[in-house]
Amino acid sequence: MTRYFTEEHEWIDVDGETATIGITDFAQSQLGDLVFVELPESGKELAKGAEAAVVESVKAASEVYSPVSGTVLEGNPALEEDPALVNSDADGDGWFFKLTMTDAAELEGLMNEAAYKEFLAGLE
């Protein structure tokens, strides 16, 4: 499985045509304690860069964008009951949604882990 990152601080794990999307640990730390998550419905078509989910924290509300185009397979049901799961495990159990990619070539514009760490260092 290969993990990619966006400049909007989403991560995407790719396994064949299936992608799992979440927000990075950096993003959750910037948001603070999450209190609500709105996830995309199964079957929804998402374009690359389209708003896919909404997170609300004690600090602010923010959008989560789809790093690639595709059809939503499922949202993470655990987040609807426990949005704080993103705070405790943003890189794992705190994933937001899975989708079937329609154009794997869109991955080419995303960062690998080393490039994302360099991107974060440039933000400081």
Side-chain angles (χ1 to χ4, degrees):
M1 191 175 315
T2 304
R3 179 168 281 195
Y4 300 90
F5 297 88
T6 71
E7 291 185 357
E8 289 75 33
H9 308 288
E10 289 98 9
W11 57 259
I12 173 171
D13 280 343
V14 177
D15 186 11
E17 294 182 352
T18 302
T20 304
I21 290 102
I23 64 171
T24 65
D25 190 58
F26 174 83
Q28 72 79 23
S29 69
Q30 295 295 304
L31 287 167
D33 294 334
L34 296 187
V35 294
F36 178 76
V37 176
E38 182 181 316
L39 300 170
E41 293 183 18
S42 299
K44 183 174 183 176
E45 300 284 334
L46 295 173
K48 179 179 179 174
E51 180 181 316
V54 176
V55 294
E56 291 183 24
S57 70
V58 293
K59 293 181 179 177
S62 185
E63 293 79 30
V64 176
Y65 301 99
S66 184
V68 294
S69 301
T71 304
V72 176
L73 294 171
E74 66 174 322
N76 184 350
L79 291 188
E80 293 177 339
E81 293 187 24
D82 184 14
L85 186 58
V86 178
N87 295 117
S88 61
D89 193 11
D91 294 328
D93 290 340
W95 59 274
F96 278 69
F97 59 98
K98 295 183 180 188
L99 59 74
T100 301
M101 295 186 299
T102 53
D103 185 3
E106 292 177 343
L107 296 169
E108 293 175 14
L110 303 177
M111 294 179 275
N112 63 22
E113 187 169 357
Y116 181 68
K117 285 181 179 178
E118 190 173 315
F119 173 74
L120 286 180
L123 297 177
E124 296 175 350

